[in-house]
Amino acid sequence: MDAHAHAHEMPWIRRYIFSTDHKTIAIQFLLMSLFFLVVGGLLAMMMRWQLGFPSEPMPGGMLLPDEMMAPTPAGAIMLPEFYNSLVTMHGTIMIFFAIMPLLVGVFGNLLIPLQIGADDMAFPRLNMASFWMAFPAGLLMLASFAVEGGAAGAGWTSYAPLSASGEYTGVYLGQQLWLISLTILGFASLAGAVNYITTIINMRAPGMTWFRMPLATWALFITAILILLAIPILAGALIMLLFDQTIGTAFFLPASDGEPLLWQHLFWFFGHPEVYILILPAMGITSDVLANGARKPVFGYHAMVLAIVAIAFLSWIVWGHHMFQSGMNPMLGTTFMITTMVIAVPSAIKVFNWLGTIYKGNIHLHTPMLHALGFVSMFIIGGLSGVFMASTPVDVYIHDTYFIVAHLHYVLFGGSLFAIFAGITFWYPKMFGRLMNEKWGRIHFWLTMILYNIVFWPMHSIGIQGHMRRIYDPTQYEFLQPLQPINQFITMAAFALVAVQVIYALNFIISIWKGKKAGNNPWKANSLEWTVPSPPPHGNFELVPIVYRGPYEYSAPDVEEDYWLQDAPPPSETAAPALEPQPVAD
Amino acid sequence: MSQAAASTADRHPMPGMMVYNVKLGMWIFLLSEVMFFTALIGSYIILRFAHPDHFAEPGAVLNVPLTAFNTFVLICSSVSMVKAYAAITQGDQKGLRFWLLVTILLGTFFVGVQVVEYIILAREGFVPMAELYGVAHEIEGAALYGATFYTMTGFHGTHVTIGILCMWFVLYRAWQGKYSADNYGAVEIMGLYWHFVDLVWIILFTIVYLI
């Protein structure tokens, strides 16, 4: 192939910066989104300081400009406007520039071609364009902190009319940059989604039938469909809001008969599929890692696939449950309550199948496996608290309280982020050729697991006691003052939680050069990415692989080892060695 | 790198592959376009039901006969696009170039008429800005009418304009003789996009001008 011959002649900039290789683009997305993960985490720490120690001088606050922090002789005190920006930007950055690119940008790019046996994406240059739209969009979002009026302050949901007119928040340009940045990111997501769907439909290796695809790829496929259909809705809403802000239309402004509720409908019609965009790939990754760690086939593979499809379908008819308190026909509220609770069924199928997968397995508790188990247990808690909110009478009570904050962090941090840690550790060799340190990986897991629960579990409790979700100074209400010790406790634990992530960062960085060299298949896994060298060469497969079986044939009685590569010829054919394409170790 | 630089249409056809990549990709992209226009049209319907007083009777403000003729022109451009596609599947280079040029001219005419329509309407005080609506003249309807009208037709016009620009590129390649009876993927996906834009207009014309 031409691609192989030219691989080594490419100039540096084409190989590492403007690369069309899906693996390089995956690494670019990884570095970008880990950077934004750190930024988002630091924003959260500033919020936690204000919540734990309201209006006390923040350590290091003097470094920030006067528009964010009011300088006093004792130190700098956070301004309420800046707190609003922090709430908004923490949510926005974490959802759109950390978790979503981590799951979809990184694992979509890395895994899809490798797991289906393709040499690259269907449209490599479109893939490159996707990253080079997403990254500037993120920088634009960050830049909005520096403009006059500060960054957007209407929450990550940017409810109108608060977001539709600068007069309400004091943020003019920042809100517009927020809208433009997300629109650009939308284009990047669409480019990725078109690419993923086309690649999976068209470029599977011979023998790679739909039901021989690993569940990670299945989940990414369904996620790409959700992105494809949900993001344009957001784009339409963002553009209308931008028009309200800039040219003076009144789509969402009640003063001129616009409909603020229309924004909520559009946003959540996108927003609820988005929730599943943020969790489905994590479920796929978890399934792959759990089967590998338990040395058993995934329990109920077909049911797992159908559950993903069912969740994706249901995600389109539940958006109203975000708006129970926004004013809605009670009949409609009941309808949305029922559809929402139905989602618990496919979710429970997945959870029970994960338990079935590890049941009586020969469990290897390697770091990715620990994270995957962490995902399952935290997802159960987050999923169950979700059922509370789906119930309209309960939601009246807990809506917009810290109970919601606890719930969403249990699914996004405890769920998605643990799966991301599992995925990064598991597929690290396919990116950098080496393994991450196992001992430090386990230490990081346990510390994160414990501290994470210490931070977020009490939020359920203070939420039920009435602590509002987005509040600058909880002590202004007398009934919240007794909760202040818990707030301080959460804040201290949150600082510790962020501090232990340094272990992961160091492990990640040092292992790039010092990690143990990984062979083709360090985890003894089955899917096609493990048949090629780590990291795979440009073009991935020397010959188009031929697939004989599903990806979870662990501990099969027909073979000696406890794993069975998807492209290994069946025993009957090995007797008379046919000229099968074999992976070549470079 | 030659691999990526080469036409991606026929990269690694796998067994069981029904549609080549670029065509499949275009279909998938058009699905997302459907959702984009759904957001705009859906908002229009909701706002119109919520505030009927903001919207004028059909023909009271908008010039229906002019736009009906314009719609006819756009449908004709879809026909000429089909003729261009039919020509190249037979290897007819001259026909391809001729019909592409006809399509470009018809599309440009459509956008031109729309621009003229915008200018006339804006002079009558039909503008998207809530505070300026009807300030120049007393016209029927109110702020939401102008905002939804310009957003929907404007985004459609943008799509037509992008289509025309892409079609110039296809025409340029056609002049270089890059297409043949075996290689007409770009003409085909150009046609898919063009027909989609045409279809959206038929829906927009119906709900914005006629109903």
Side-chain angles (χ1 to χ4, degrees):
Chain A
M1 300 285 287
D2 272 359
H4 284 286
H6 289 280
H8 300 289
E9 296 167 21
M10 267 187 294
W12 182 85
I13 196 161
R14 290 301 305 272
R15 224 168 352 148
Y16 296 110
I17 308 295
F18 295 107
S19 170
T20 54
D21 188 316
H22 70 101
K23 299 178 291 292
T24 311
I25 295 170
I27 294 172
Q28 288 175 326
F29 266 114
L30 180 66
L31 299 180
M32 175 194 106
S33 38
L34 287 179
F35 166 71
F36 281 107
L37 193 68
V38 172
V39 173
L42 293 178
L43 297 181
M45 289 311 101
M46 287 195 258
M47 283 159 64
R48 269 327 311 177
W49 175 266
Q50 172 63 25
L51 288 170
F53 308 96
S55 301
E56 284 180 36
M58 192 175 87
M62 294 304 265
L63 299 171
L64 293 171
D66 292 354
E67 292 86 45
M68 302 176 182
M69 299 296 218
T72 64
I77 294 169
M78 187 179 293
L79 290 168
E81 295 82 7
F82 183 55
Y83 183 83
N84 286 345
S85 293
L86 287 178
V87 172
T88 308
M89 297 303 271
H90 169 68
T92 307
I93 286 177
M94 282 303 198
I95 287 169
F96 290 104
F97 294 100
I99 305 290
M100 198 169 156
L102 270 171
L103 286 171
V104 184
V106 176
F107 294 111
N109 271 311
L110 182 71
L111 295 183
I112 289 175
L114 282 171
Q115 288 196 331
I116 65 172
D119 60 346
D120 203 326
M121 287 287 178
F123 313 113
R125 277 184 294 176
L126 188 66
N127 207 16
M128 175 179 82
S130 172
F131 175 75
W132 285 108
M133 285 188 280
F135 186 48
L139 293 183
L140 198 61
M141 189 63 85
L142 277 187
S144 70
F145 272 114
V147 300
E148 205 182 334
W156 86 275
T157 52
S158 276
Y159 271 14
L162 190 59
S163 57
S165 169
E167 287 163 31
Y168 301 136
T169 49
V171 179
Y172 292 85
L173 195 52
Q175 186 70 42
Q176 292 166 21
L177 286 176
W178 186 90
L179 294 164
I180 294 167
S181 164
L182 285 191
T183 310
I184 298 172
L185 184 76
F187 280 113
S189 308
L190 278 182
V194 170
N195 228 332
Y196 297 171
I197 298 171
T198 311
T199 307
I200 292 176
I201 292 179
N202 258 1
M203 296 177 66
R204 281 168 291 128
M208 180 59 83
T209 59
W210 283 100
F211 286 106
R212 282 180 185 169
M213 284 198 321
L215 285 169
T217 297
W218 254 115
L220 287 161
F221 178 63
I222 302 296
T223 304
I225 294 174
L226 288 181
I227 291 177
L228 183 84
L229 302 178
I231 292 283
I233 303 282
L234 175 70
L238 290 174
I239 286 165
M240 282 189 268
L241 190 55
L242 189 62
F243 285 168
D244 277 7
Q245 286 250 346
T246 51
I247 64 174
T249 56
F251 288 107
F252 308 119
L253 279 167
S256 307
D257 282 351
E259 287 288 332
L261 269 185
L262 176 62
W263 167 266
Q264 293 188 26
H265 277 291
L266 289 171
F267 186 86
W268 288 117
F269 190 69
F270 144 80
H272 206 82
E274 169 72 15
V275 169
Y276 291 100
I277 290 166
L278 297 171
I279 198 79
L280 287 181
M283 291 172 160
I285 290 166
T286 302
S287 306
D288 276 21
V289 173
L290 277 185
N292 179 279
R295 316 308 297 170
K296 270 183 66 192
V298 163
F299 185 87
Y301 171 86
H302 287 82
M304 291 297 250
V305 173
L306 293 175
I308 295 174
V309 176
I311 291 173
F313 172 75
L314 288 169
S315 75
W316 292 100
I317 49 172
V318 297
W319 80 92
H321 67 214
H322 296 274
M323 300 167 59
F324 283 151
Q325 309 310 318
S326 304
M328 186 191 293
N329 184 331
M331 253 288 270
L332 211 53
T334 313
T335 314
F336 279 121
M337 177 173 97
I338 291 166
T339 53
T340 304
M341 289 190 167
V342 169
I343 291 198
V345 175
S347 306
I349 289 174
K350 294 200 78 76
V351 169
F352 281 110
N353 281 359
W354 285 322
L355 297 181
T357 304
I358 55 175
Y359 178 66
K360 287 193 175 172
N362 174 15
I363 292 178
H364 293 43
L365 281 180
H366 48 58
T367 312
M369 180 67 172
L370 285 175
H371 281 291
L373 291 170
F375 168 90
V376 175
S377 43
M378 293 303 104
F379 179 74
I380 292 173
I381 297 176
L384 288 178
S385 63
V387 180
F388 282 63
M389 280 165 256
S391 165
T392 41
V394 183
D395 190 62
V396 173
Y397 192 60
I398 57 176
H399 182 82
D400 256 350
T401 66
Y402 256 79
F403 193 88
I404 309 289
V405 178
H407 161 75
L408 74 92
H409 283 96
Y410 262 87
V411 281
L412 272 181
F413 189 138
S416 303
L417 202 56
F418 272 112
I420 286 166
F421 283 140
I424 292 176
T425 322
F426 195 66
W427 282 291
Y428 191 88
K430 291 296 154 193
M431 290 188 268
F432 302 104
R434 292 168 189 271
L435 286 158
M436 287 175 73
N437 185 293
E438 186 68 20
K439 188 179 100 189
W440 286 106
R442 286 179 203 195
I443 293 173
H444 164 259
F445 168 77
W446 283 112
L447 287 175
T448 307
M449 186 65 167
I450 294 164
L451 285 166
Y452 155 79
N453 276 293
I454 292 177
V455 171
F456 291 106
W457 184 261
M459 288 185 185
H460 288 111
S461 150
I462 62 170
I464 285 176
Q465 291 172 73
H467 195 305
M468 300 80 172
R469 179 177 176 182
R470 290 163 179 164
I471 184 172
Y472 165 67
D473 182 357
T475 57
Q476 65 177 293
Y477 295 103
E478 209 168 296
F479 74 99
L480 290 180
Q481 281 165 6
L483 299 178
Q484 206 47 29
I486 304 182
N487 258 331
Q488 286 179 7
F489 174 73
I490 294 175
T491 296
M492 301 314 283
F495 290 162
L497 176 62
V498 165
V500 300
Q501 302 313 309
V502 173
I503 299 173
Y504 193 83
L506 287 177
N507 192 354
F508 182 92
I509 294 166
I510 294 172
S511 298
I512 295 178
W513 293 281
K514 303 273 178 192
K516 202 172 84 181
K517 284 237 177 194
N520 287 7
N521 193 358
W523 308 106
K524 300 202 186 327
N526 296 341
S527 41
L528 291 178
E529 74 267 32
W530 306 108
T531 64
V532 290
S534 305
H538 193 75
N540 297 345
F541 299 92
E542 200 76 355
L543 295 162
V544 176
I546 295 169
V547 178
Y548 294 96
R549 61 189 65 80
Y552 302 114
E553 297 295 322
Y554 290 106
S555 309
D558 300 351
V559 278
E560 219 169 282
E561 303 94 354
D562 69 345
Y563 65 103
W564 204 1
L565 287 168
Q566 277 188 284
D567 71 343
S572 55
E573 290 184 34
T574 42
L579 281 174
E580 294 297 352
Q582 288 297 320
V584 176
D586 223 345
Chain B
M1 238 32 268
S2 56
Q3 194 176 11
S7 163
T8 50
D10 298 309
R11 290 181 75 241
H12 296 273
M14 291 292 182
M17 179 168 146
M18 314 290 259
V19 187
Y20 59 91
N21 281 347
V22 178
K23 189 173 170 186
L24 180 65
M26 178 53 83
W27 275 112
I28 293 167
F29 169 70
L30 291 181
L31 276 178
S32 79
E33 288 276 37
V34 169
M35 294 307 279
F36 177 72
F37 281 102
T38 302
L40 299 184
I41 294 171
S43 302
Y44 168 78
I45 292 170
I46 289 167
L47 291 171
R48 192 166 160 181
F49 267 105
H51 301 282
D53 52 310
H54 273 246
F55 295 84
E57 288 296 306
V61 175
L62 304 173
N63 188 340
V64 177
L66 175 70
T67 313
F69 176 70
N70 215 15
T71 308
F72 173 71
V73 169
L74 195 63
I75 293 172
C76 286
S77 80
S78 256
V79 176
S80 61
M81 186 72 229
V82 172
K83 297 290 279 181
Y85 170 73
I88 194 59
T89 54
Q90 306 297 317
D92 175 5
Q93 299 286 346
K94 226 172 143 186
L96 170 70
R97 294 198 291 263
F98 174 74
W99 288 113
L100 277 179
L101 194 61
V102 170
T103 314
I104 289 174
L105 291 176
L106 291 172
T108 312
F109 180 84
F110 174 86
V111 177
V113 170
Q114 213 176 21
V115 170
V116 172
E117 186 195 15
Y118 277 15
I119 292 171
I120 295 171
L121 286 171
R123 283 195 181 151
E124 290 172 2
F126 185 77
V127 289
M129 290 77 102
E131 292 186 356
L132 295 179
Y133 189 93
V135 168
H137 298 78
E138 281 296 314
I139 59 162
E140 282 186 54
L144 294 175
Y145 195 17
T148 49
F149 171 82
Y150 283 106
T151 307
M152 285 192 293
T153 57
F155 269 104
H156 178 265
T158 311
H159 276 77
V160 178
T161 310
I162 291 170
I164 292 169
L165 293 176
C166 294
M167 198 129 27
W168 276 113
F169 179 70
V170 174
L171 181 62
Y172 169 72
R173 304 254 301 169
W175 232 283
Q176 291 179 322
K178 300 269 183 179
Y179 305 117
S180 66
D182 305 319
N183 174 19
Y184 51 81
V187 182
E188 191 176 13
I189 65 160
M190 188 67 240
L192 285 178
Y193 177 82
W194 195 256
H195 296 319
F196 168 78
V197 171
D198 194 0
L199 187 68
V200 170
W201 180 253
I202 292 169
I203 296 167
L204 280 183
F205 177 63
T206 309
I207 69 158
V208 177
Y209 287 83
L210 297 184
I211 297 178

